[in-house]
Amino acid sequence: MDYRGIFEDAVDALRQEKRYRVFADLERVAGQFPRAIYRDRADNPREITIWCSNDYLGMGQNREVVSALVNTATRMGAGAGGTRNISGTNRPLVELERSLADLHRKEAALVFTSGFVSNEAAISTIARLLPDCLILSDQLNHASMIAGVRHSGMEKKIFRHNDVGHLAELLEAAGRQRPKIILFESVYSMDGDIAPIAEIADLAARHNALTYIDEVHAVGLYGPRGAGICEREGLMDRIDIIEGTLAKGFGVMGGYVTGSRPVVDAIRSYAPEFIFTTALPPALCAAARASIEHLKTSNVEREAHQRQAGRVKKVLVEAGLPVLASQTHIVPLIIGDARACKAASDMLLDRHGLYIQPINYPTVPKGTERLRITPSPFHDDAMIDELRDALVDVWARLDLPTRKISDQLSVRALPPGDLTLPTTGG
């Protein structure tokens, strides 16, 4: 058996489809974001501008956040010392969970090493603990939520993306007495659209179902205290479990779930992904808490973020570029071909010093490949104009499509008859 050859062939297949992922060697410089140092394969350094970071507010370089990390590491060391059960429940982690519970106005919170792990662990554990549970999952849910559904082993029904009518039909067919949990996101990261949260909460109440929302692309960014879309719309008390991340709007690392004390305690007590994983280091916990507490009282970052994201959309649309209409800070530019998408990304980096990672299958369905732009408060007007000029140049050189895309179009939607679980993420 040629084991090595099997793996080489598998990777070569990705290269031939232009889906092989190449990681840019980037060195972020605190205080200069979104500028960074890029090193090519020959290790030659040059300054570039990052336009696709998930550190949406630049909190990863915030002085309070960095100081909390450094001071805690100096005082408590680099590692956590073990799993939470053995020796890893450090004081900054306890304080972080209290801060998160307060943020979402819930009784308790539980921190994981990543948002992917928190989704997979919480969803699979909750579903397994509910006898004969039926999972109702939005068609475009993130790969981590899909992993949780599969790991649970429970029956699932997929409702068309943001289609409350279809969800209502599935709930009605399930019956009021059967345990049910509805899984959805607040902000969908590839199209930038928002779920009909109030309508879903209404259906859940009517049909006796639990609600579980992923707010990873919204926490820190929306709401008076940065708790997300549910807070902005006054709906936090109507959602049973709110999941989020510490790695995007808060600029650090980790994931979490919040909810009632019994639900969170059950996840803590039963989820192997939590029980057998080393805890987050104290320094990261302190940094995350500093970021959360800062954004609970400061709207400066959120207002600047929305202003610059809005300007990017306006400028790019006026330039005739194929911007997919978005309700949020996410700015997708649809190309629709994996090879062309990679070529555009490469040209932006090589000719213009702008880094925007191509988004290809399986993150998005084939035929909807795109560049996903994520402006921050630190992308000033001159940078935005530079981005526009570079994109116009690349579009012309590569003869890329400039078709207009309807505000109502969700280019990631599958055909009506195909409601299998996709693999999405970002």
Side-chain angles (χ1 to χ4, degrees):
M1 176 65 69
D2 181 11
Y3 292 110
R4 181 186 180 92
I6 290 172
F7 295 116
E8 288 176 342
D9 289 346
V11 173
D12 284 342
L14 294 178
R15 288 196 177 96
Q16 290 170 14
E17 296 177 18
K18 296 300 180 184
R19 294 197 293 118
Y20 180 73
R21 297 173 187 247
V22 178
F23 300 150
D25 184 350
L26 301 174
E27 180 182 335
R28 287 168 38 127
V29 182
Q32 297 182 28
F33 180 78
R35 304 293 191 192
I37 304 301
Y38 165 69
R39 286 180 171 80
D40 59 23
R41 291 184 179 180
D43 205 29
N44 298 312
R46 62 188 175 99
E47 186 178 273
I48 61 151
T49 303
I50 300 174
W51 275 100
C52 56
S53 173
N54 280 346
D55 185 0
Y56 293 132
L57 300 178
M59 291 302 292
Q61 66 172 6
N62 178 276
R63 289 184 180 180
E64 295 175 33
V65 174
V66 174
S67 293
L69 186 145
V70 172
N71 292 339
T72 305
T74 301
R75 183 167 51 90
M76 300 184 68
T83 65
R84 294 284 296 272
N85 182 57
I86 293 175
S87 61
T89 301
N90 55 77
R91 184 62 185 177
L93 181 46
V94 173
E95 293 173 341
L96 172 59
E97 288 177 338
R98 290 175 179 170
S99 180
L100 288 165
D102 170 75
L103 176 69
H104 293 288
R105 305 302 191 195
K106 298 296 184 186
E107 293 177 354
L110 192 66
V111 167
F112 294 80
T113 52
S114 75
F116 194 107
V117 175
S118 59
N119 263 334
E120 182 178 20
I123 291 168
S124 61
T125 302
I126 291 168
R128 285 197 305 267
L129 290 175
L130 294 172
D132 192 30
C133 178
L134 175 64
I135 301 172
L136 301 113
S137 182
D138 187 282
Q139 181 182 8
L140 296 186
N141 276 342
H142 188 266
S144 58
M145 302 177 80
I146 294 167
V149 172
R150 288 176 173 155
H151 190 193
S152 75
M154 307 307 292
E155 183 183 1
K156 64 178 183 292
K157 297 288 184 182
I158 312 304
F159 60 92
R160 288 184 290 270
H161 178 52
N162 282 349
D163 188 336
V164 291
H166 188 212
L167 175 59
E169 292 173 10
L170 296 174
L171 286 165
E172 185 69 35
R176 186 173 168 77
Q177 297 308 312
R178 185 178 183 183
K180 299 171 292 295
I181 182 168
I182 304 170
L183 309 179
F184 62 111
E185 301 180 38
S186 60
V187 174
Y188 288 85
S189 63
M190 290 298 117
D191 289 357
D193 55 334
I194 296 175
I197 302 172
E199 291 86 343
I200 292 174
D202 288 343
L203 286 175
R206 190 177 309 140
H207 295 278
N208 193 28
L210 286 175
T211 48
Y212 181 110
I213 194 167
D214 176 317
E215 286 252 43
V216 298
H217 289 276
V219 289
L221 311 178
Y222 299 94
R225 301 198 311 155
I229 299 294
C230 288
E231 181 190 34
R232 187 187 74 176
E233 298 182 5
L235 297 169
M236 284 197 297
D237 62 329
R238 303 195 62 199
I239 303 298
D240 296 297
I241 301 106
I242 298 177
E243 186 267 352
T245 184
L246 305 170
K248 293 181 171 65
F250 296 127
V252 188
M253 177 185 175
Y256 64 89
V257 292
T258 64
S260 69
R261 200 171 304 282
V263 167
V264 172
D265 198 18
I267 298 168
R268 182 190 70 86
S269 301
Y270 281 90
E273 299 90 341
F274 176 82
I275 295 169
F276 299 105
T277 298
T278 297
L280 276 186
L284 287 178
C285 296
R289 181 171 180 266
S291 182
I292 293 163
E293 292 302 317
H294 174 87
L295 290 171
K296 281 179 181 177
T297 59
S298 174
N299 278 311
V300 173
E301 294 83 2
R302 283 188 283 276
E303 290 169 358
H305 182 231
Q306 289 298 311
R307 181 176 62 250
Q308 296 310 92
R311 188 172 190 278
V312 168
K313 294 178 189 178
K314 180 176 183 294
V315 166
L316 298 190
V317 168
E318 289 175 349
L321 293 160
V323 179
L324 177 64
S326 162
Q327 301 169 271
T328 58
H329 57 283
I330 293 165
V331 186
L333 276 181
I334 305 302
I335 294 177
D337 178 83
R339 288 173 174 81
C341 197
K342 180 66 166 62
S345 176
D346 290 345
M347 188 175 289
L348 283 167
L349 184 59
D350 295 339
R351 289 183 62 87
H352 299 282
L354 306 182
Y355 178 61
I356 309 176
Q357 182 72 1
I359 306 293
N360 294 327
Y361 178 84
T363 305
V364 295
K366 292 179 181 179
T368 72
E369 292 83 359
R370 67 197 62 190
L371 299 178
R372 175 180 173 272
I373 298 166
T374 54
S376 78
F378 299 97
H379 288 95
D380 60 29
D381 290 356
M383 289 179 182
I384 295 172
D385 291 342
E386 177 189 36
L387 172 68
R388 174 201 59 205
D389 295 343
L391 287 168
V392 168
D393 176 66
V394 167
W395 247 249
R397 289 178 184 274
L398 296 178
D399 193 25
L400 297 175
T402 56
R403 64 186 182 277
K404 298 298 181 182
I405 299 176
S406 166
D407 290 0
Q408 285 75 40
L409 177 63
S410 177
V411 297
R412 296 173 65 225
L414 299 173
D418 185 0
L419 294 180
T420 54
L421 277 168
T423 302
T424 60

